[in-house]
Amino acid sequence: MIYSKMWCVVKPSVGIPVFIAAVAVASFSVHLALTLNTSWVKNFLNGGTKVVAVAPAADAAVKK
């Protein structure tokens, strides 16, 4: 392990929960920023307008 000496300074019973909490806060911050700063995420989460793909109509006369 690269940081094995770190556990001589910080107890694992403190360091591991702090690390997990930091990851959770960072993840929440990113998701909140996406939700607040983009319009498509809000539309997606609210079930915005449905876009239906339409195939182009085939030409009646086929050129050879």
Side-chain angles (χ1 to χ4, degrees):
M1 181 167 24
I2 298 172
Y3 299 108
S4 61
K5 293 182 181 181
M6 177 180 74
W7 300 116
C8 293
V9 179
V10 179
K11 294 171 70 174
S13 61
V14 174
I16 293 172
V18 167
F19 178 75
I20 292 173
V23 170
V25 168
S27 175
F28 181 76
S29 299
V30 168
H31 285 85
L32 182 64
L34 279 173
T35 304
L36 294 177
N37 295 319
T38 60
S39 60
W40 66 269
V41 173
K42 292 177 189 174
N43 292 337
F44 175 75
L45 293 175
N46 290 329
T49 59
K50 306 284 189 262
V51 177
V52 178
V54 179
D59 292 330
V62 177
K63 297 181 181 178
K64 292 184 179 183

